[in-house]
Amino acid sequence: MPTPQATAAQVRPTQGERVSASDAAADGRLTGDGTRAAAATTGPLASDQTSPAGGTGTPAPAGATDQTAHIGEADQHHPVGGADHQRHPVGGADHQRAAAEAAASPGGTVTAEARGRPTPPSALGSHLGGRHLAARRRRRPVWPVVFLGYLALAFLLLNDAWRDPGSRGFGTSDATLFSWYLGWVPHAIGNGMNPFVTDLINTPYGVNILWSTPVVLLAVLVAPVTLLAGPVVALNTLLTLALAVSGIAMYAAARRFASPAPAAVAGLLYAFSPYMVGATHGHLHLTFAPFPPLLLILLHDVVVRGRSPRRVGLLLGVAVAAQALISEEILATSALVGALALVILAVRHASAVRARVGPLAQALGICAAVAGALLAWPLHQQFLGPQRVYGAIQPHDVAVSDLLTFVVPTGAQRLAPDVALRHSDGFTGNAVEVSAYFGIPLLVLLAVIAFRLRRDPLVGLLSPLFVVVALLSLGGHLHVDGRVTDVWLPWAVAQDLPLLGSALPSRFSLYLTMFAGLLLARWPETARWPARQAWPRRAGTVLVLAAALVPLLPAPMRAEPLTTPAFFTGPAVEAIPEGSRVLIAPYPRAENPSAMLWQAQAGHRFAIPGCYCTVPAGPDGEAEFHGPSSPLTDALLMTEAGLLTPEAALALPGLRAAYQELAPDAVIVGPTRHRAELIEVVTGLTGRPPVEIGGVAFWPLTF
């Protein structure tokens, strides 16, 4: 038995020594019968090994593999620092003495403190005396500070909208769409209506909104803001919170493998990556992305830590149901990436993973049961309800990562020279979907980390996973500098699958930034420097990280007007009876859905024809993003575009029959292009002049 003056190295248990059952049980590494699972103690998935690849820790016993930097918590590894940290993993002589005292405890068992992990303050007793407060301070959570930092950066990034959050937003058309959903869901629930199917837009045909992006759960959570300040303020609130919430989820996942500072960098990269910056332009369902890190945490719990499959399955089922009511696309792609990760893990660590197959299957089974029960009604409405869409929603081989996307910046980056923009502007797809930019410095750093730490199991998992997911992001055919080649790629198989085929390959960049963040966080955790070199090398690490991340700095974001005429927000709109059918110009469609925002600001008191929404079209029910066309819609849209004079519009065959079939209770012409011409067309259809009120031309017809 060592004396109180023994060194921490002398009392540190080797891989072959037993640990007390109470300490092991606290870490969740015991099997059901109270014995230690072999895979959790000596296999490559164990979480309490302390000698990273290439390090100078205790040598592994004979017969052990060389992969000793096991996938586990960062606090169980030597932190970055000098010789003192190498000798005393928790932090110096105080812990040396505490370890020796713990080793001398009755029974000779080795407690958590002796193994370099903090114990609860009550367990410290009088051993540390005045150092008790210091231990409590070390245990104080850091994540609230990190979260507030992310939130402050999110406000800074989106500050242009917060100058007038009720009438400004990012991504005009999509922002209007999400504003409508944020208003519709609480309106429907509050009035006992079906929140998933409605005929208030695209009347009289209706819409099954689950085939669009309704963010039902977020709409419920933000309902107080919507009711008090309106749907546009609610949207800006959620976009801001989405960045911070996604970042702190990534921080929590990275803390499994890194100390707070590197984990905070991982969260920073994830929350403010080119993917996130692009998604904030109206794509709320893609910006709110805490689910992938949460999935990593839960899989880590059951596969690595050996936590209760029932507990993990229950939590995962709730998380899956919640994510399905925010974005089914992220849910589907997360499942695919998670499956790929498990396959790679099984190939690299077959024997250890084999021992976890049973618990993993049990957890996934419970997850399926819980999620299925919670999602029974919405899934029934989506797949068996009216206005179901068939086939892929998005076109293939458009929104993909160009081969040059990874190294050529776009207009979304602050550092984007004209020579780069001449290339990136030619990439296929919407500009906000070109989101896989990493820059040459960061890619080089990631490659160096992957090579230097190739024996670290976490790095050994993430490196091939990064390559595979990057390959999927390229789409079904290789794009090079905006040209679509005939080179076949694996996504060509996935794009023909139900549901998953509607996912956009370029959005896999979300997972690439997640992997990159974990690699960056893992890198400093494996470094061990002599005390005299600690600070210079730490400073060098910070400089290298800064040089790699600076090219990703986002350009200033400019908000766009999301204004509503006073008619819809004042008492004048109450002249329209509840449930009326109102024809509004500009006629709502994907390019200009302003009428949907005005309807939402009016409290959804009337129905409108047309929409920016996903509806079935044609005999096979293929997806369209607007309602059916008719001579009436043609007349309004072409007049607004200046392609028809009022006289020519009124002479269109079938115009008056289409108008009579719609039978609107009122017609409104709001601010738009060629407004005077549109007023002339509607006056010709109704046979009466309008009333100008609250910034609109108003024709009450049946009241």
Side-chain angles (χ1 to χ4, degrees):
M1 180 178 296
T3 64
Q5 288 76 28
T7 64
Q10 289 174 306
V11 299
R12 186 184 300 123
T14 64
Q15 292 181 347
E17 292 178 334
R18 286 188 174 274
V19 184
S20 66
S22 60
D23 181 53
D27 286 333
R29 294 191 301 274
L30 292 182
T31 60
D33 60 357
T35 60
R36 179 181 295 276
T41 56
T42 59
L45 297 181
S47 60
D48 59 354
Q49 305 299 323
T50 58
S51 299
T56 59
T58 303
T65 66
D66 58 358
Q67 294 183 334
T68 55
H70 301 283
I71 302 177
E73 291 82 347
D75 292 312
Q76 297 161 354
H77 293 275
H78 296 297
V80 177
D84 289 341
H85 285 89
Q86 296 176 25
R87 290 191 297 269
H88 313 301
V90 177
D94 292 340
H95 290 279
Q96 174 190 7
R97 286 190 292 271
E101 293 166 359
S105 61
T109 57
V110 183
T111 64
E113 185 71 12
R115 289 163 51 226
R117 289 196 299 275
T119 58
S122 59
L124 296 176
S126 60
H127 292 296
L128 297 181
R131 293 181 289 275
H132 180 85
L133 181 59
R136 291 180 58 189
R137 286 176 178 170
R138 283 196 299 273
R139 292 174 55 83
R140 187 169 298 169
V142 178
W143 72 263
V145 177
V146 177
F147 177 77
L148 290 176
Y150 293 155
L151 190 61
L153 290 175
F155 271 108
L156 182 63
L157 180 66
L158 306 180
N159 74 91
D160 198 37
W162 283 105
R163 294 174 183 173
D164 187 4
S167 59
R168 292 177 66 81
F170 300 100
T172 304
S173 293
D174 288 324
T176 296
L177 177 67
F178 282 103
S179 296
W180 191 90
Y181 289 139
L182 295 179
W184 159 250
V185 172
H187 171 81
I189 294 175
N191 289 277
M193 305 166 69
N194 186 342
F196 307 122
V197 179
T198 180
D199 61 358
L200 285 187
I201 52 176
N202 196 38
T203 190
Y205 310 100
V207 175
N208 189 327
I209 68 170
L210 289 170
W211 288 100
S212 298
T213 52
V215 291
V216 175
L217 179 60
L218 297 183
V220 172
L221 295 177
V222 82
V225 177
T226 306
L227 296 175
L228 290 174
V232 179
V233 176
L235 174 61
N236 286 322
T237 299
L238 283 174
L239 283 174
T240 305
L241 287 174
L243 297 174
V245 170
S246 300
I248 202 63
M250 184 66 228
Y251 170 82
R255 281 291 286 123
R256 294 291 178 101
F257 317 104
S259 51
V265 173
L268 182 70
L269 175 61
Y270 186 77
F272 299 95
S273 65
Y275 167 89
M276 283 291 189
V277 172
T280 52
H281 286 84
H283 291 173
L284 174 61
H285 66 306
L286 302 177
T287 312
F288 197 90
F291 180 76
L294 292 179
L295 178 62
L296 171 61
I297 290 173
L298 292 173
L299 289 178
H300 184 262
D301 274 348
V302 69
V303 175
V304 177
R305 285 183 162 183
R307 296 292 171 86
S308 167
R310 289 189 292 272
R311 175 181 178 273
V312 172
L314 176 62
L315 293 176
L316 186 57
V318 172
V320 165
Q323 182 57 49
L325 295 176
I326 297 174
S327 170
E328 291 179 330
E329 180 177 353
I330 287 183
L331 177 60
T333 54
S334 294
L336 174 61
V337 173
L340 292 172
L342 291 173
V343 169
I344 294 173
L345 200 63
V347 170
R348 295 180 61 87
H349 309 291
S351 59
V353 171
R354 193 179 302 118
R356 300 297 193 190
V357 169
L360 176 62
Q362 183 182 356
L364 293 179
I366 295 172
C367 166
V370 172
L374 294 174
L375 295 173
W377 181 34
L379 290 180
H380 178 273
Q381 293 295 301
Q382 181 174 4
F383 294 103
L384 299 177
Q387 293 294 94
R388 176 185 174 182
V389 173
Y390 294 85
I393 295 176
Q394 299 283 1
H396 300 317
D397 270 335
V398 178
V400 304
S401 294
D402 193 283
L403 189 61
L404 300 185
T405 300
F406 303 101
V407 296
V408 178
T410 71
Q413 280 75 55
R414 187 180 294 268
L415 303 177
D418 291 340
V419 64
L421 295 179
R422 284 197 294 270
H423 292 276
S424 59
D425 288 347
F427 296 161
T428 61
N430 192 303
V432 301
E433 302 288 1
V434 183
S435 57
Y437 174 66
F438 285 86
I440 294 176
L442 179 55
L443 289 176
V444 170
L445 178 58
L446 294 175
V448 171
I449 293 173
F451 177 76
R452 293 286 299 274
L453 306 183
R454 60 190 180 277
R455 294 183 178 179
D456 183 295
L458 179 64
V459 177
L461 168 65
L462 294 177
S463 299
L465 192 57
F466 186 101
V467 174
V468 171
V469 175
L471 183 63
L472 293 179
S473 77
L474 296 174
H477 291 87
L478 183 64
H479 291 217
V480 181
D481 202 12
R483 295 179 292 105
V484 184
T485 71
D486 294 329
V487 178
W488 183 92
L489 296 173
W491 184 253
V493 176
Q495 68 187 15
D496 293 328
L497 297 176
L499 301 180
L500 186 62
S502 295
L504 298 184
S506 63
R507 295 173 182 175
F508 278 104
S509 58
L510 170 66
Y511 306 98
L512 297 180
T513 57
M514 178 178 169
F515 305 151
L518 290 172
L519 289 171
L520 293 181
R522 188 70 187 137
W523 171 40
E525 293 301 320
T526 62
R528 296 186 191 173
W529 307 311
R532 64 181 181 277
Q533 299 179 5
W535 284 110
R537 295 205 178 188
R538 286 177 183 173
T541 300
V542 172
L543 290 177
V544 170
L545 281 173
L549 295 178
V550 162
L552 273 62
L553 283 175
M557 294 185 62
R558 296 286 178 254
E560 301 173 70
L562 292 173
T563 55
T564 300
F567 172 84
F568 296 100
T569 57
V573 75
E574 296 177 3
I576 303 177
E578 292 274 358
S580 298
R581 182 178 296 176
V582 179
L583 174 63
I584 298 182
Y587 191 79
R589 73 281 189 191
E591 296 80 9
N592 186 1
S594 297
M596 292 175 61
L597 176 61
W598 303 343
Q599 180 198 36
Q601 295 281 31
H604 298 85
R605 65 180 298 115
F606 51 81
I608 60 174
C611 67
Y612 173 28
C613 53
T614 307
V615 295
D620 297 326
E622 300 92 345
E624 293 277 5
F625 294 143
H626 55 77
S629 60
S630 70
L632 176 59
T633 62
D634 291 343
L636 295 176
L637 292 174
M638 295 179 74
T639 301
E640 180 190 345
L643 301 176
L644 286 179
T645 64
E647 295 79 8
L650 289 169
L652 285 177
L655 171 63
R656 296 184 183 277
Y659 173 76
Q660 292 173 359
E661 181 181 359
L662 179 63
D665 297 303
V667 182
I668 296 174
V669 175
T672 184
R673 298 177 299 166
H674 299 283
R675 183 173 184 269
E677 289 84 348
L678 282 169
I679 291 175
E680 188 174 342
V681 171
V682 176
T683 299
L685 284 173
T686 61
R688 66 178 74 176
V691 176
E692 289 284 350
I693 179 173
V696 304
F698 180 44
W699 288 263
L701 301 176
T702 63
F703 52 88

